[in-house]
Amino acid sequence: MLTGRHVIEPGDLTVGEIDEICSLAEQMIVDPVSFQDVCRGKILATLFFEPSTRTRLSFEAAMLHLGGTVEGFADASYTSSTKGETLADTIRVVSSYVDVIAMRSPKEGAALLASKYSPVPVINAGDGGHYHPTQTLTDLLTIRGLQGGFENHTIGFCGDLKFGRTVHSLAKAMSRYKNNKFVFISPEELKVPEYITEDILKPAGIEFTTAEKLEDVIGDLDILYMTRVQKERFFNEQDYIRLKDSYILDKAKMKLARKDMIVLHPLPRVNEIQPEVDDDPRAAYFKQVKYGMYARMALIAKITGCL
């Protein structure tokens, strides 16, 4: 039963609940008209204490497609937090007006704190480097829609694997399904944290390897999850210059990939995927955006008790 539940991290949802949400989202994709009024009378608050394009607009579009309404803010400078109001008080006030809250904050743990003061469900839309559960739902729904399910995949994570919350969340989520293998592609400076490999993957018996160059392993992948390599993460510019082009996906690298591989990216991108790749049928990152709206529609409908 998802009604009334907070969703702060991907682990708040069981495998069965993820399947339930994805199944509902797939129904919404096929027949959106049947769901256009299910949340009529419900109000979503979008509290975004840091900038966002896709996530905020996706949440708002999701609620509007369900027949509900939206209020909130996209810039904390227009809120009473500038006067010193605490997050706890903000949540107490906002939850008096609405049925569900989607909140993003640059502060890790902010969504969990908000959930302790909110009588209505809180959905974490990103809290610093911690969690982004609806991005994980987006990624999972995309994988299920385009690759047929969550099992028996070789998944390559490429770029900034040290600080990438979307990478950590998806790796944890996919480790719950059978026969998945991971390939972590990054410079040494940005390798995946040990808590992912030592505390999650190894105890679960998940097979994983590491690589420093994308072209060395791209041919083995069913799914390539790209992220940006950030210059500011390196201790010296020479290492960045040496490695940066290894993490730019272009047509030449795509020629080495399987015909049925898909490319995902949480967006926004900078230069890590060249525009020339966009027309490749395996480029799924803009389809991923659309899947994200339906994933949020299904989640909102479930936790508000609309369905």
Side-chain angles (χ1 to χ4, degrees), residues 150-294:
F150 301 138
E151 300 178 352
N152 305 307
H153 299 303
T154 300
I155 308 157
F157 294 95
C158 180
D160 181 356
L161 309 188
K162 182 176 182 179
F163 300 100
R165 65 188 174 194
T166 59
V167 169
H168 304 166
S169 293
L170 184 57
K172 289 167 69 176
M174 290 298 285
S175 70
R176 300 164 81 180
Y177 297 92
K178 295 179 181 178
N179 299 323
N180 288 323
K181 302 175 183 178
F182 297 151
V183 182
F184 296 111
I185 310 146
S186 73
E188 178 66 21
E189 294 86 345
L190 299 177
K191 69 180 182 180
V192 68
E194 285 191 0
Y195 88 88
I196 296 289
T197 56
E198 301 299 319
D199 299 342
I200 296 171
L201 302 186
K202 285 185 178 180
I206 304 293
E207 182 180 334
F208 68 91
T209 58
T210 62
E212 200 166 271
K213 290 192 175 182
L214 175 57
E215 54 266 41
D216 290 345
V217 295
I218 191 171
D220 301 326
L221 307 178
D222 301 305
I223 300 160
L224 172 59
Y225 198 92
M226 291 292 298
T227 64
R228 180 169 68 97
V229 171
Q230 302 171 76
K231 183 178 181 180
E232 60 269 25
R233 302 298 191 189
F234 286 83
F235 291 111
N236 63 75
E237 189 171 5
Q238 289 74 24
D239 284 343
Y240 172 73
I241 292 171
R242 175 174 58 87
L243 292 167
K244 65 182 179 68
D245 289 343
S246 296
Y247 309 101
I248 296 176
L249 186 64
D250 54 22
K251 279 188 174 181
K253 292 186 180 72
M254 288 297 288
K255 287 180 180 178
L256 304 173
R258 296 174 179 172
K259 299 299 183 184
D260 59 351
M261 184 192 77
I262 61 170
V263 181
L264 303 181
H265 192 302
L267 300 179
R269 66 171 168 183
V270 182
N271 69 333
E272 62 274 13
I273 300 178
Q274 291 294 293
E276 66 187 30
V277 176
D278 294 352
D279 294 330
D280 192 301
R282 295 168 291 182
Y285 30 91
F286 291 119
K287 294 177 183 176
Q288 191 177 354
V289 172
K290 193 68 173 285
Y291 277 112
M293 183 187 72
Y294 287 109

Side-chain angles (χ1 to χ4, degrees), residues 68-208:
T69 54
V70 180
E71 63 178 35
F73 55 82
D75 188 337
S77 65
Y78 294 103
T79 73
S80 291
S81 64
T82 60
K83 303 174 185 178
E85 182 175 62
T86 65
L87 176 62
D89 283 359
T90 299
I91 295 299
R92 286 187 178 108
V93 170
V94 173
S95 62
S96 300
Y97 307 145
V98 305
D99 302 285
V100 58
I101 295 170
M103 190 184 89
R104 169 169 288 188
S105 171
K107 297 179 180 179
E108 297 177 356
L112 179 61
L113 178 64
S115 71
K116 295 183 183 302
Y117 294 95
S118 177
V120 303
V122 173
I123 303 172
N124 183 6
D127 63 332
H130 262 186
Y131 302 110
H132 194 351
T134 60
Q135 181 63 52
T136 305
L137 280 176
T138 295
D139 299 339
L140 291 172
L141 182 61
T142 307
I143 290 169
R144 179 159 140 164
L146 299 181
Q147 297 292 66
F150 301 138
E151 300 178 352
N152 305 307
H153 299 303
T154 300
I155 308 157
F157 294 95
C158 180
D160 181 356
L161 309 188
K162 182 176 182 179
F163 300 100
R165 65 188 174 194
T166 59
V167 169
H168 304 166
S169 293
L170 184 57
K172 289 167 69 176
M174 290 298 285
S175 70
R176 300 164 81 180
Y177 297 92
K178 295 179 181 178
N179 299 323
N180 288 323
K181 302 175 183 178
F182 297 151
V183 182
F184 296 111
I185 310 146
S186 73
E188 178 66 21
E189 294 86 345
L190 299 177
K191 69 180 182 180
V192 68
E194 285 191 0
Y195 88 88
I196 296 289
T197 56
E198 301 299 319
D199 299 342
I200 296 171
L201 302 186
K202 285 185 178 180
I206 304 293
E207 182 180 334
F208 68 91

Side-chain angles (χ1 to χ4, degrees), residues 28-46:
M28 292 173 168
I29 291 169
V30 172
D31 185 17
V33 174
S34 294
F35 299 92
Q36 62 186 6
D37 290 313
V38 297
C39 284
R40 187 162 301 280
K42 300 289 187 181
I43 303 173
L44 165 72
T46 51

